[in-house]
Amino acid sequence: MSAVWSGADNVLAESFNATFKRETLQGRKSWPDEHQARLDPFRRLNRYNTRRRHSRLGQSSPIAYEATLDTTSTTLAQAA
């Protein structure tokens, strides 16, 4: 951990929050009803975690990136 009141501890969280706010709230003043106000952030989070391209993953979506990983299964006996 870094020094007290240092922003370095929260860099990833702050970056995510800034992106989430920008993508969810940009150009929006209100939602038609409470249900839509709750559903919209859920949709954005689902998109962020599954389809949105990430620079850290070579501009591929998390799903596409995981599909390229080696998926050899390991049993407990092999791991031990």
Side-chain angles (χ1 to χ4, degrees):
M1 292 193 50
S2 61
V4 177
W5 294 105
S6 171
D9 290 339
N10 296 322
V11 171
L12 292 175
E14 293 299 328
S15 175
F16 169 79
N17 287 335
T19 300
F20 179 69
K21 285 180 186 179
R22 185 181 67 248
E23 291 182 355
T24 305
L25 302 175
Q26 190 172 31
R28 182 175 288 281
K29 295 187 181 196
S30 65
W31 282 268
D33 56 32
E34 183 180 344
H35 177 71
Q36 289 299 319
R38 292 176 182 267
L39 190 58
D40 194 35
F42 177 79
R43 286 181 180 150
R44 300 287 181 170
L45 286 172
N46 186 48
R47 180 184 177 279
Y48 185 90
N49 289 325
T50 58
R51 296 185 316 234
R52 184 178 179 271
R53 294 180 185 181
H54 293 264
S55 60
R56 181 77 172 145
L57 304 178
Q59 293 302 323
S60 63
S61 69
I63 288 178
Y65 179 77
E66 287 179 6
T68 64
L69 297 177
D70 182 22
T71 57
T72 22
S73 87
T74 304
T75 64
L76 288 175
Q78 291 172 330

